[in-house]
Amino acid sequence: MTDTSYAKYKLAPGTQVREEGFGLLFYTQQGPRLYFLACGSLLDASFFEGRQGLEQWLAGQRDEPGHDRGSVAQMQQALHQLGEKGVILEC
Amino acid sequence: MARAGLSAPVNVTWEITFRCNLNCAHCLSDAGRASPEELTDEQCRRLVDQLSASKVFQVNIGGGEPFIRPGFMDLLAYAHQKGVVTCVSSNGTLIGRDLARRLARMKMLYLQVSLDGATPEVNDPIRGRGTYQRIIQAAENLANEGVLFSINTVLTKKSYPQLEDLRRLAGSFGAELRVSRFRPSGRGKQSRDHLGPDKEQLESFAAWLEGHELVRTGDSFFCLTSEKRRRKGLDMCGAAKMTCCISPTGDVFPCAFLQEQPFWVGNVKTDSLKSVWDHSLVFARLRNLQVETCVECSRFEVCRGGCPAMAFHTYKDINMPDPECLVNLNMEMAS
């Protein structure tokens, strides 16, 4: 997997996202289908406005519960998978 | 996650009117005439505002016949403008070329057209004389205009033998087949013996479904769904967990098939949907429901006790197994 920690993301057309206790819930009109991102409060819906990459975003979240090296790597992978499924797009 | 509860439904079933120009034998809403208590246009818009504010992704609109309600197209447009995707279930009989053309311009709309047989001989006794031809004409109109739609068939004793023909027929319009479950609510209570699929049909249908991955079922058939389809997320009842139902008069229930007094949780004329969703004891009970006799079953992870509405309408108790559960069916057939 390539390093995507600097990649910025936006929602694919027809995708919506909302915040839940476990993290983020995505809905794609195509299907329709649901996707879950168990990121707790580390990411919120505004991350997908594409202003910051994961690395930069998380730099401001160091005090959030669950913020450690392992979870960041997991999130990076999860974002990559959501990208492969067409839920989010790199921008 | 489901037990803690989502912040809002993922989708909401909204029966927008009781009024209907047909009198289908299995209608879950016992539709016909509009009620004077139905939500006004303004109340409908305020409800859309609530759905949008709670980030409900999709509203599944049925009835009655939605397109018979004056101002319905404006309401659809309003929902889309507020970011709510709509899926409309229609009997198709009012979808002429002009309406199909207007629907084609709505990019946040998905449409389901009901057809209960691949021939007039099977469809018309259920949906009404002459409806087969009118529905086929609607499908042609929609296909010609490029509207994304599916053909929705309720699995009955009569439609089961025609499922393969129905699948081909839907495909000829570029549509998918969606098979819904017969439920003994509304007029289905009276027609259950006559139309409800028998045990052999249900078992054969389970096998047929496994071989037809593209056939949609919504959340209807998890009581007999295969491991393969489970991976599509069709493995438990979503009532009160992912979805709920709003009646034409604004009453809120866990699902369209549990519109019975014990399951009434509020009314959107006076209660906010968010408050009902967060605080209803009925919803809490459904979120925590574990059908005791099913917990040890080998299929529990696949169906989680099946459809509470089927249990309620059969036994008057949602803590009973789905009466059409595949395991129970097999045991009965073997004995």
Side-chain angles (χ1 to χ4, degrees), chain B residues 101-215:
Chain B
R101 204 166 293 138
R102 291 176 69 190
L103 294 171
R105 290 198 288 266
M106 294 182 153
K107 300 305 173 200
M108 292 178 76
L109 170 81
Y110 190 80
L111 198 64
Q112 294 177 4
V113 176
S114 298
L115 180 68
D116 282 319
T119 59
E121 289 72 24
V122 170
N123 175 81
D124 287 8
I126 298 172
R127 305 197 69 82
R129 186 181 296 180
T131 54
Y132 178 86
Q133 287 305 337
R134 294 166 71 186
I135 297 162
I136 294 299
Q137 184 60 60
E140 278 178 17
N141 293 337
L142 292 167
N144 289 340
E145 296 299 334
V147 179
L148 199 59
F149 74 104
S150 62
I151 296 281
N152 192 55
T153 298
V154 176
L155 184 72
T156 62
K157 268 192 187 75
K158 315 290 180 184
S159 65
Y160 170 75
Q162 296 194 324
L163 282 180
E164 199 54 44
D165 291 337
L166 279 159
R167 191 180 65 83
R168 277 194 289 266
L169 183 61
S172 73
F173 297 114
E176 289 175 317
L177 178 65
R178 184 179 187 278
V179 185
S180 292
R181 196 166 172 192
F182 180 95
R183 287 187 174 89
S185 60
R187 283 198 285 277
K189 287 178 187 172
Q190 283 77 49
S191 55
R192 186 179 196 177
D193 291 344
H194 172 55
L195 290 177
D198 62 38
K199 290 169 185 169
E200 288 79 8
Q201 288 177 327
L202 286 166
E203 204 194 34
S204 308
F205 173 69
W208 183 84
L209 209 48
E210 191 167 0
H212 293 88
E213 219 175 321
L214 293 180
V215 172

Side-chain angles (χ1 to χ4, degrees), chain B residues 4 12 15 42 56 75 96 100 106-107 113 126 142 173 187 191 198 204 206 213 217 219 222-223 272 280 296 298:
Chain B
V12 166
E15 297 190 344
E42 186 55 27
V56 172
L75 187 64
M106 294 182 153
K107 300 305 173 200
V113 176
I126 298 172
L142 292 167
F173 297 114
R187 283 198 285 277
S191 55
D198 62 38
S204 308
E213 219 175 321
T217 56
D219 62 357
F222 40 81
C223 67
S272 86
S280 158
E296 300 297 320
S298 60

Side-chain angles (χ1 to χ4, degrees), chain B residues 239-241 254 258 263 281-289 308 318:
Chain B
K241 305 180 191 90
L258 278 178
F263 302 101
L281 294 177
V282 172
F283 281 9
R285 185 179 170 213
L286 276 157
R287 285 171 194 147
N288 289 300
L289 181 67
I318 59 170

Side-chain angles (χ1 to χ4, degrees), chain A residues 13 21 33 39 47 57 72 78-79:
Chain A
R33 285 187 197 286
C39 58
F47 173 73
W57 176 276
V72 171
L79 288 171

Side-chain angles (χ1 to χ4, degrees), chain A residues 14 16-20 22 25-27 29-34 36 45, chain B residues 1 6-10 54-58 83 85 107-109 216 242:
Chain A
Q16 299 182 47
V17 63
R18 76 181 194 207
E19 289 148 28
E20 293 289 345
F22 61 85
L25 176 61
F26 296 85
Y27 162 94
Q29 195 179 337
Q30 185 69 22
R33 285 187 197 286
L34 293 174
F36 305 86
Chain B
M1 173 205 69
L6 294 175
S7 63
V10 167
S54 299
K55 294 207 165 186
V56 172
F57 297 126
Q58 180 176 318
V85 174
K107 300 305 173 200
M108 292 178 76
L109 170 81
R216 290 167 176 258
M242 315 274 277

